[in-house]
Amino acid sequence: MTPVQYTLAVTLPEDETLDTFYGADTSPVVGYIKHFLTRPFEHRLPVYLFGASGSGKSHLLYAACVQAQELGLTSQLLSLEDFKAWSPRILDQLEELDLVCLDNIQAIAGDISWQVAVFDLYNRMTEQGKALIIVADQAPTELGITLPDLVSRLQACTSFQLRLLGDEDKQKLLQQKARLRGMELPDEVARFLLNRQQRDIRELVQILDLLDKASIVHQRKLTIPFVKDMLSLSH
């Protein structure tokens, strides 16, 4: 069976690269992943990223796939949360790819067949010197994984724990994403969005995209009255 590959240009957000990760210049995990795909395979353990929702884990997975694409390497990103209803045989032959990213590994905590399949894929990838990045919401011993050998493999990875941003950093990140879209997001408007909307970064970015399109259509700058009008906020 030949594994189905995603079309990266369609599935990967354009602005989610390693360089646009918030605090990229001083981030140890960004620095590590930048060299991960070019590292000699005998020195390349799989990478394990964990942290709460909104801490940037998915951004880093997308960014790793973008980097693989730029290097002319094959890659595939699978969210186990989306695929756990499928047969774990979907992981067969993925070791033929240069990079495999597994998101939300906690989703298979109650499924031993999936745990065995991930364990086997881990072994095949490392034996062939391929790159593997695994993402979860907690440390390996806290996932509820019942296959001890898989827990042991996850603990052997090069691990990074990602922290949630505070409101000040969320504001700066939102303004950074606005600039990447060619918009100026004033401080007071950014604070207004953070105070009035869900504070999940992905949801805020979706709102930013909506406002970007609206500002072009209406030829308006981003002001609090304009944002209130576009988001149907009464006060």
Side-chain angles (χ1 to χ4, degrees), residues 102-181:
L102 299 180
D103 200 0
N104 295 312
I105 195 175
Q106 69 274 3
I108 64 168
D111 192 322
I112 191 63
S113 62
W114 264 99
Q115 292 175 43
V116 171
V118 171
F119 171 75
D120 289 340
L121 175 63
Y122 183 111
N123 291 336
R124 296 195 306 272
M125 295 288 290
T126 54
E127 286 168 4
Q128 298 193 30
K130 299 302 181 68
L132 177 63
I133 303 178
I134 298 172
V135 159
D137 60 352
Q138 298 184 81
T141 55
E142 299 171 351
L143 295 173
I145 298 284
T146 53
L147 182 65
D149 286 342
L150 177 55
V151 175
S152 176
R153 291 294 189 277
L154 297 178
Q155 288 179 300
C157 295
T158 301
S159 296
F160 295 91
Q161 182 175 9
L162 303 180
R163 307 287 184 182
L164 288 171
L165 296 178
D167 284 350
E168 183 178 346
D169 285 326
K170 280 186 180 180
Q171 177 182 325
K172 292 177 181 177
L173 174 58
L174 203 57
Q175 289 174 310
Q176 171 185 299
K177 288 185 175 292
R179 286 192 296 273
L180 288 170
R181 288 161 172 75

Side-chain angles (χ1 to χ4, degrees), residues 2-233:
T2 301
V4 178
Q5 295 185 44
Y6 293 119
T7 304
L8 297 182
V10 174
T11 58
L12 299 178
E14 293 180 2
D15 66 334
E16 297 199 350
T17 67
L18 291 174
D19 288 333
T20 61
F21 187 79
Y22 185 75
D25 291 343
T26 58
S27 169
V29 63
V30 169
Y32 188 88
I33 292 178
K34 276 189 175 183
H35 301 289
F36 180 59
L37 294 178
T38 56
R39 204 177 283 265
F41 72 85
E42 63 268 23
H43 301 301
R44 187 166 61 195
L45 286 171
V47 172
Y48 184 87
L49 308 176
F50 69 103
S53 176
S55 59
K57 305 184 302 293
S58 294
H59 182 134
L60 290 172
L61 281 190
Y62 296 140
C65 289
V66 168
Q67 186 192 36
Q69 188 179 47
E70 291 172 348
L71 292 171
L73 302 176
T74 55
S75 66
Q76 183 152 357
L77 190 159
L78 293 174
S79 174
L80 299 186
E81 187 175 47
D82 298 331
F83 287 90
K84 66 179 180 180
W86 294 34
S87 165
R89 292 209 59 190
I90 195 173
L91 302 183
D92 289 357
Q93 297 182 319
L94 287 186
E95 71 277 5
E96 296 178 5
L97 302 174
D98 298 302
L99 169 67
V100 173
C101 296
L102 299 180
D103 200 0
N104 295 312
I105 195 175
Q106 69 274 3
I108 64 168
D111 192 322
I112 191 63
S113 62
W114 264 99
Q115 292 175 43
V116 171
V118 171
F119 171 75
D120 289 340
L121 175 63
Y122 183 111
N123 291 336
R124 296 195 306 272
M125 295 288 290
T126 54
E127 286 168 4
Q128 298 193 30
K130 299 302 181 68
L132 177 63
I133 303 178
I134 298 172
V135 159
D137 60 352
Q138 298 184 81
T141 55
E142 299 171 351
L143 295 173
I145 298 284
T146 53
L147 182 65
D149 286 342
L150 177 55
V151 175
S152 176
R153 291 294 189 277
L154 297 178
Q155 288 179 300
C157 295
T158 301
S159 296
F160 295 91
Q161 182 175 9
L162 303 180
R163 307 287 184 182
L164 288 171
L165 296 178
D167 284 350
E168 183 178 346
D169 285 326
K170 280 186 180 180
Q171 177 182 325
K172 292 177 181 177
L173 174 58
L174 203 57
Q175 289 174 310
Q176 171 185 299
K177 288 185 175 292
R179 286 192 296 273
L180 288 170
R181 288 161 172 75
M183 292 188 295
E184 185 62 35
L185 184 64
D187 289 344
E188 65 274 13
V189 179
R191 286 194 294 269
F192 177 80
L193 287 173
L194 284 169
N195 290 331
R196 291 301 304 269
Q197 300 298 313
Q198 295 291 330
R199 298 193 181 192
D200 178 81
I201 288 297
R202 289 204 175 278
E203 292 182 21
L204 286 168
V205 170
Q206 289 174 357
I207 292 171
L208 202 59
D209 287 334
L210 183 153
L211 294 173
D212 183 20
K213 294 172 184 175
S215 68
I216 292 172
V217 169
H218 296 280
Q219 293 294 294
R220 296 275 301 277
K221 292 182 178 180
L222 294 184
T223 62
I224 291 177
F226 179 68
V227 170
K228 282 184 177 180
D229 189 28
M230 291 301 99
L231 300 182
S232 301
L233 299 174

